[in-house]
Amino acid sequence: MIEKTVKCETITPLISRSLDFTMTNNNDYKIYNFELRPQSVKGVLHFWFRAVAPRIIDVFNLNFDNVKSEERKKEIQKIYGEMEYKGLRYLESLIFGSQEQKAPFGLSVQYNTQDIIEIGEIQGGKFSVNSEEFEKSFLYALYGTYATAKEKFVVRCLKSHANFELTFRVKNEDLWEVILSLLKLVSVLGGFGAKTTKGFGQFKIVGIEGENTFNFNRSQYTTKEEIQSLLKKTEDILRKYIEKFDTDKLLKLEKSSSIDFPNLLDESFEFFESTVTGKENWKKVMEELYKISQDAQENGVYKKIKLKLRYYKQSDVVKLLINCLDGRSKEVNVFPALLGMPLQYQNLKSKISKVTFYPYVRGEINDRGRKPSPLRIIINTGKAQGDRWAAYFLILKSKVTQDNSLKHDFEKSFSSKLILTFDDLVKLLDDFKLEGGVSH
């Protein structure tokens, strides 16, 4: 085993809630501790591995006939023969391990506890956000990390510009190159912890302990073409690893097609630069994205996108929903559900003031699942902005719900659907660009 320590620095606050908590002096609020678990880091690396793998292998199939030993062939067919994603699962086992095979790498996470802060303050028994790190305008993006009607709580986070280290213990140098390439991808397109789709938990890789030649700058990747160049580097490293360690030649080195899960095939993602550009720091970008005003024209860019979805291709979704809740209609298309579910409408001017929508996922409890937003906010500096801060939008195509159907928690019967597609979302953002909302 070899050991590599990667030095990182948070860009936006990294929110990762522990199961442990303390109580405020009045015992009225839970304050959840911060904990970035190694398994969470592995999970993020795994997600982006799955996103890039279809670019280089047939994720559905394996070349069973290439196995020379009949005993070995039967063993592999027993494990993978009935799986939908045979190729993907086999490559996963070579990098992340499986039930049959121990993971070929482990990791630990280190950070300074002095850099841990609460996302807000408890004043007079009430939660508020107004600090050096967080502003009131962030509340929309932070929903779910602070007090609700059901539970009074607040979470802690690793503040911006804090250092943390990831120490990897890896089986060999070839695997290390794969892991490092995935970590670079996470730094450019994702992040760690909660609310990464809203721009939190983003970080830069500062260097690798003991190596003076490391040179990687995430701000070099702020266009789709630049991201494709990074993906090409990751592909080359993965392909080299496969050629060396897929000794049975089971994997088919050819691009996949028709993938339901989020992926980075060229036709399955889009990248936009928002008009939120030229800001002096990441906080100013967040404020322009998420601010809420009584005047809809003064809302942040993200809220304006949600408003366009509310009225997209039809009359007001909320009015149609109220018609269903009050028994005047039997069907509603809920376009805003495209940006993540569960989706809750509350304070409705109806007999029923609140209703929640879920993606229809066969086999889940009550066939209700969860679905992250395909729209991911990336906050970065860029050459075009003179090294000032800007917001970027990454859209990952994926199947939002089965058969267009949505589930809801309202006891009376009406049908709800999501017929908006990935292509519709791209067109909406293109139209929004023409109106001054985003630029391609």
Side-chain angles (χ1 to χ4, degrees):
M1 302 289 281
I2 60 173
E3 187 171 291
K4 301 282 186 177
T5 297
V6 184
K7 296 179 178 295
C8 304
E9 180 185 327
T10 57
I11 293 171
T12 54
L14 197 165
I15 305 166
S16 186
R17 168 175 160 172
S18 169
L19 295 175
D20 299 325
F21 61 86
T22 57
M23 300 296 295
T24 57
N25 291 335
N26 295 328
N27 287 324
D28 54 352
Y29 265 80
K30 292 179 181 178
I31 303 177
Y32 282 96
N33 296 325
F34 172 85
E35 182 185 13
L36 181 59
R37 294 177 289 277
Q39 202 58 35
S40 297
V41 173
K42 275 191 174 182
V44 174
L45 292 171
H46 203 160
F47 174 89
W48 290 103
F49 157 78
R50 284 190 162 208
V52 75
R55 294 178 66 94
I56 58 171
I57 66 166
D58 178 351
V59 298
F60 298 101
N61 298 296
L62 287 172
N63 289 313
F64 292 114
D65 291 338
N66 285 352
V67 183
K68 297 177 181 179
S69 166
E70 284 298 322
E71 184 177 349
R72 169 73 173 153
K73 182 189 292 187
K74 288 180 181 178
E75 177 188 348
I76 295 172
Q77 285 178 325
K78 182 178 179 180
I79 297 171
Y80 298 101
E82 299 301 318
M83 291 181 180
E84 181 180 3
Y85 297 105
K86 300 175 183 64
L88 181 66
R89 295 293 294 275
Y90 176 70
L91 182 54
E92 280 178 345
S93 72
L94 297 180
I95 297 172
F96 294 93
S98 64
Q99 291 182 338
E100 293 79 21
Q101 183 174 315
K102 184 180 177 181
F105 78 95
L107 69 96
S108 58
V109 185
Q110 300 84 35
Y111 44 83
N112 191 335
T113 55
Q114 292 181 342
D115 290 328
I116 297 173
I117 61 172
E118 293 164 19
I119 68 163
E121 299 175 340
I122 310 299
Q123 297 178 336
K126 293 183 178 181
F127 170 75
S128 66
V129 172
N130 190 10
S131 65
E132 183 180 345
E133 194 83 348
F134 296 95
E135 300 290 345
K136 187 176 180 181
S137 57
F138 297 179
L139 277 171
Y140 182 84
L142 288 169
Y143 183 77
T145 65
Y146 57 87
T148 65
K150 293 183 179 180
E151 181 185 14
K152 290 187 175 182
F153 72 96
V154 63
V155 301
R156 291 188 169 106
C157 67
L158 197 63
K159 67 181 183 180
S160 65
H161 308 298
N163 296 318
F164 67 98
E165 295 181 349
L166 305 175
T167 298
F168 294 87
R169 288 163 292 279
V170 188
K171 192 172 183 179
N172 53 58
E173 287 284 350
D174 300 279
L175 180 58
W176 166 241
E177 290 299 319
V178 171
I179 292 169
L180 181 59
S181 70
L182 293 174
L183 188 61
K184 290 176 180 178
L185 205 59
V186 175
S187 176
V188 171
L189 298 180
F192 294 129
K195 299 297 177 180
T196 56
T197 61
K198 297 294 192 294
F200 289 99
Q202 300 190 355
F203 67 97
K204 62 181 178 181
I205 303 173
V206 178
I208 301 175
E209 191 174 89
E211 297 185 14
N212 296 324
T213 58
F214 180 81
N215 182 23
F216 178 76
N217 187 344
R218 73 191 289 267
S219 67
Q220 295 176 336
Y221 304 97
T222 56
T223 67
K224 186 169 183 178
E225 291 73 22
E226 290 167 345
I227 290 169
Q228 286 169 325
S229 73
L230 179 62
L231 289 171
K232 178 64 167 58
K233 295 174 186 177
T234 308
E235 291 172 46
D236 292 343
I237 291 169
L238 271 171
R239 188 175 288 105
K240 179 182 174 183
Y241 184 80
I242 290 168
E243 289 171 348
K244 186 169 183 177
F245 292 97
D246 178 23
T247 54
D248 291 307
K249 305 301 179 186
L250 282 161
L251 291 166
K252 296 184 176 183
L253 289 169
E254 57 188 54
K255 189 176 78 168
S256 298
S257 59
S258 302
I259 309 297
D260 282 343
F261 58 82
N263 68 85
L264 290 166
L265 290 169
D266 287 344
E267 64 271 20
S268 296
F269 79 95
E270 285 294 341
F271 195 81
F272 296 86
E273 182 182 271
S274 165
T275 53
V276 183
T277 61
K279 303 300 177 183
E280 57 265 40
N281 56 51
W282 67 268
K283 285 184 63 177
K284 294 295 183 182
V285 176
M286 286 278 198
E287 290 172 16
E288 289 298 313
L289 284 171
Y290 298 117
K291 65 182 177 182
I292 299 175
S293 171
Q294 291 183 343
D295 181 356
Q297 294 302 315
E298 296 299 319
N299 278 333
V301 169
Y302 192 85
K303 286 290 291 179
K304 288 179 179 178
I305 292 170
K306 292 288 289 270
L307 188 63
K308 285 191 74 71
L309 282 169
R310 173 174 168 175
Y311 293 97
Y312 196 56
K313 287 189 174 181
Q314 62 176 34
S315 55
D316 187 353
V317 166
V318 172
K319 287 185 178 180
L320 294 177
L321 174 58
I322 290 173
N323 286 339
C324 289
L325 293 172
D326 289 345
R328 294 188 296 272
S329 180
K330 293 293 183 180
E331 183 176 273
V332 62
N333 292 321
V334 189
F335 290 141
L338 182 64
L339 294 186
M341 285 180 284
L343 170 67
Q344 185 177 95
Y345 286 95
Q346 54 189 356
N347 301 320
L348 297 170
K349 296 178 180 179
S350 165
K351 299 174 184 176
I352 305 297
S353 64
K354 184 173 72 173
V355 62
T356 304
F357 292 94
Y358 306 84
Y360 172 55
V361 182
R362 195 177 296 107
E364 296 289 333
I365 298 175
N366 296 324
D367 293 327
R368 297 175 184 172
R370 302 183 66 86
K371 192 69 180 180
S373 173
L375 176 59
R376 294 169 173 267
I377 308 296
I378 298 165
I379 297 176
N380 203 349
T381 55
K383 297 182 293 296
Q385 300 304 322
D387 292 328
R388 290 173 72 83
W389 292 89
Y392 301 87
F393 295 162
L394 171 69
I395 311 173
L396 293 180
K397 181 179 182 179
S398 63
K399 195 170 185 178
V400 177
T401 187
Q402 295 175 6
D403 304 323
N404 295 332
S405 300
L406 299 178
K407 301 288 288 185
H408 57 78
D409 60 356
F410 184 53
E411 65 274 13
K412 290 188 178 180
S413 177
F414 66 89
S415 64
S416 51
K417 292 183 178 181
L418 173 58
I419 59 174
L420 196 64
T421 67
F422 168 82
D423 292 334
D424 289 322
L425 181 58
V426 171
K427 184 179 184 306
L428 181 147
L429 287 177
D430 270 332
D431 293 343
F432 195 59
K433 168 195 64 179
L434 297 174
E435 298 168 14
V438 294
S439 58
H440 216 292

